[in-house]
């Protein structure tokens, strides 16, 4: 009985059948929803599914993920059923040069859904973090697999203070969210992703035409801030985040010049320089 997912009543299991009934429908984006008890990485699972012929709209949700990957190969894990850890499979029609918007689109959709359902002020740190204040609530990781894109999301829901992976993280429970039930949150997030993805696809990936860039800028915690960006090759750029360009790249003003960045670890610098 100790191994039952119902042992911790604050962390009930997700129902694959209920999620499928709610989200998989004719003409919709979501084609298959799988809930697994434990896996290494939902992104790795879906990457293999792509090679095995999976189609767009497949979703894998893990109750426990022991080798989740973040940017730069970082790994992380969380207690079972304390987070929403899932990956989605997309086969975008817009040209590859516009597909850099996909992780930003998923981040925006996730933030919008969580803000509405959980009633917390979630903001976006370019390129892939969701913040409450300056604490990380969630991360997004996109990976290209053949002609498809797998996007993974890890969202801290019921983690307690002693369970946080780092001191700079937070969870919905710790932030006093109005809802910390993973089922309605996941449904809201997937529906929001579907809406944004459909609009972006219909605009052939033009982030201005579909309103994606304006919405992203409106939710950004990075643009307008002084930032320090750690770049590949141990280079560091410090300046003011001036915007996000049409391709989803961060524009940083530094030394009288504009630098366009497609990748990098962003640190928000406080007014005192810390």
């Amino acid at each position: 009985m100790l191994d039952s997912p119902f042992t911790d009543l604050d962390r009930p299991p997700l129902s694959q059948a209920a999620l499928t009934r709610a989200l998989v429908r004719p003409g919709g984006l979501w084609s298959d929803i799988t809930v697994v008890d434990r896996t290494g990485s939902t992104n790795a699972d879906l990457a293999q599914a792509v090679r095995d012929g999976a189609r767009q709209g497949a979703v894998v949700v893990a109750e426990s993920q022991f080798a989740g990957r973040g940017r730069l190969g970082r790994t992380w894990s969380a207690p079972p059923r304390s987070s929403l850890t899932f990956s989605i499979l997309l086969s975008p029609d817009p040209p590859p040069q516009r597909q850099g918007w996909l992780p930003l689109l998923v981040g925006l959709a996730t933030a919008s859904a969580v803000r509405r359902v959980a009633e917390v002020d979630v903001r976006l740190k370019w390129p892939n973090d969701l913040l409450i204040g300056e604490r990380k609530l969630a991360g997004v990781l996109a990976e290209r697999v053949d002609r498809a894109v797998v996007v993974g999301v890890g969202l801290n829901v019921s983690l307690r203070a002693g369970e946080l992976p780092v001191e700079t993280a937070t969870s919905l429970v710790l932030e006093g969210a109005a809802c910390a039930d993973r089922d309605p949150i996941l449904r809201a997030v997937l529906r929001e992703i579907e809406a944004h993805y459909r609009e972006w696809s219909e605009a052939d990936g033009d982030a201005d035409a579909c309103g994606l860039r304006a919405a992203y800028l409106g939710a950004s915690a990075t643009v307008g801030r002084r930032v320090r960006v750690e770049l590949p090759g141990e280079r560091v750029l410090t300046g003011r985040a001036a915007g996000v360009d049409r391709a989803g790249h961060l524009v940083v003003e530094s030394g009288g010049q504009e630098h366009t960045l497609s990748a990098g670890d962003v640190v928000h610098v406080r007014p005192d320089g810390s």
Side-chain angles (χ1 to χ4, degrees):
M1 184 64 181
L2 290 178
D3 293 330
S4 168
F6 294 96
T7 303
D8 188 340
L9 297 181
D10 290 333
R11 293 171 173 169
L14 293 167
S15 167
Q16 177 176 306
L19 289 167
T20 299
R21 284 195 302 270
L23 295 163
V24 177
R25 67 188 194 283
L29 173 61
W30 309 119
S31 58
D32 179 75
I33 297 179
T34 303
V35 177
V36 299
D37 185 58
R38 188 172 188 265
T39 192
S41 161
T42 55
N43 264 30
D45 291 351
L46 264 190
Q48 183 57 52
V50 171
R51 300 181 187 102
D52 293 340
R55 61 195 179 100
Q56 173 165 265
V59 182
V60 175
V61 190
E63 298 284 41
S64 176
Q65 184 173 251
F66 58 85
R69 289 171 293 143
R71 280 178 43 77
L72 306 178
R74 300 185 183 108
T75 59
W76 54 272
S77 61
R81 301 177 303 282
S82 65
S83 303
L84 274 174
T85 53
F86 65 95
S87 296
I88 62 175
L89 170 58
L90 303 174
S91 299
D93 291 326
Q97 62 268 29
R98 292 180 172 179
Q99 293 177 18
W101 274 101
L102 284 173
L104 280 66
L105 181 157
V106 170
L108 174 65
T110 302
S112 300
V114 170
R115 191 180 300 117
R116 184 176 67 252
V117 175
E119 299 178 14
V120 289
D121 185 20
V122 185
R123 314 293 288 179
L124 299 165
K125 186 178 88 167
W126 187 94
N128 67 332
D129 289 348
L130 279 68
L131 306 180
I132 296 180
E134 285 298 312
R135 295 187 176 275
K136 182 174 176 177
L137 177 72
V140 178
L141 178 67
E143 300 176 279
R144 181 170 296 282
V145 184
D146 297 332
R147 299 183 66 180
V149 178
V150 173
V151 188
V153 177
L155 171 69
N156 299 332
V157 178
S158 66
L159 272 79
R160 297 146 190 152
E163 297 171 331
L164 295 174
V166 293
E167 291 183 358
T168 53
T170 190
S171 71
L172 291 178
V173 163
L174 290 174
E175 296 294 334
C179 174
D181 184 336
R182 294 181 306 147
D183 179 278
I185 294 171
L186 180 57
R187 295 185 192 202
V189 168
L190 290 176
R191 285 170 177 148
E192 194 82 15
I193 291 172
E194 179 172 4
H196 281 279
Y197 183 70
R198 189 178 302 279
E199 292 168 357
W200 176 80
S201 298
E202 289 173 351
D204 196 30
D206 187 327
D208 285 323
C210 67
L212 176 58
R213 182 158 70 138
Y216 184 89
L217 291 172
S220 176
T222 299
V223 174
R225 294 279 300 271
R226 183 168 174 78
V227 297
R228 183 174 71 253
V229 188
E230 298 170 7
L231 301 168
E234 299 185 354
R235 294 175 297 137
V236 176
L237 175 68
T238 301
R240 187 183 74 89
V244 174
D245 72 8
R246 291 176 61 87
H249 300 155
L250 183 67
V251 179
V252 176
E253 293 177 347
S254 178
Q257 293 183 317
E258 284 193 347
H259 303 261
T260 302
L261 309 177
S262 60
D265 258 12
V266 174
V267 178
H268 291 168
V269 181
R270 295 186 177 90
D272 62 6
S274 62

